Amino acid sequence: MPKWIVREADIQGYSPANHEGTVNKRLISSETVGSKYVEVLLGTIESQQGALPHAHPDIEQVVYMISGTADVELEGEQGSMVAGDCCYFPPYKKHVFTVTSKEPARILVIYSPPYEENPAKVIR
């Protein structure tokens, strides 16, 4: 298989900081394909769990809902997401993400530039 194709089954999951009931798999990263300017994660989040309030300085974040439903908050403004919805979190803007479906939600998360689970790249 070409090195630029990544299989979910080949990636080790981890529980990200400032999240509850969440397992992420870093699909596209400097470690997996050598990317420098973008990072793509696949997240699985348990019902009633998710991201606690936080922001990322100098990082844009996109979340695409693959399955499940979630309530989302950005700087106090609230919304709901269903499968097929996509949202955008600008740099420095506090956001919250909570799964509302009975089943776990699956999401695709894109960071630019990469977050890399670096504590210096998050504001709580």
Side-chain angles (χ1 to χ4, degrees), residues 3-6 11 25-36 38-42 109 111 114:
K3 292 182 180 183
W4 42 267
I5 294 177
V6 179
I11 303 298
K25 291 188 173 189
R26 191 171 282 112
L27 301 176
I28 302 299
S29 68
S30 59
E31 292 84 20
T32 60
V33 298
S35 63
K36 295 179 183 179
V38 67
E39 180 178 57
V40 179
L41 311 177
L42 178 63
V109 181
Y111 293 108

Side-chain angles (χ1 to χ4, degrees), residues 10-112:
D10 295 339
I11 303 298
Q12 180 75 28
Y14 68 95
S15 295
N18 206 51
H19 290 67
E20 297 174 337
T22 303
V23 174
N24 284 346
K25 291 188 173 189
R26 191 171 282 112
L27 301 176
I28 302 299
S29 68
S30 59
E31 292 84 20
T32 60
V33 298
S35 63
K36 295 179 183 179
Y37 305 108
V38 67
E39 180 178 57
V40 179
L41 311 177
L42 178 63
T44 302
I45 308 169
E46 297 297 322
S47 182
Q48 304 306 310
Q49 302 293 304
L52 302 173
H54 69 287
H56 300 284
D58 299 319
I59 296 175
E60 294 180 290
Q61 180 179 354
V62 173
V63 177
Y64 176 78
M65 181 73 68
I66 298 169
S67 65
T69 60
D71 286 340
V72 183
E73 184 177 320
L74 176 65
E75 293 280 301
E77 185 176 357
Q78 298 181 348
S80 296
M81 294 179 68
V82 300
D85 288 351
C86 193
C87 70
Y88 169 71
F89 299 132
Y92 295 97
K93 302 293 183 181
K94 283 213 174 177
H95 53 275
V96 179
F97 190 97
T98 306
V99 172
T100 56
S101 52
K102 290 181 183 178
E103 72 279 358
R106 286 177 51 92
I107 61 172
L108 196 65
V109 181
I110 302 165
Y111 293 108
S112 182

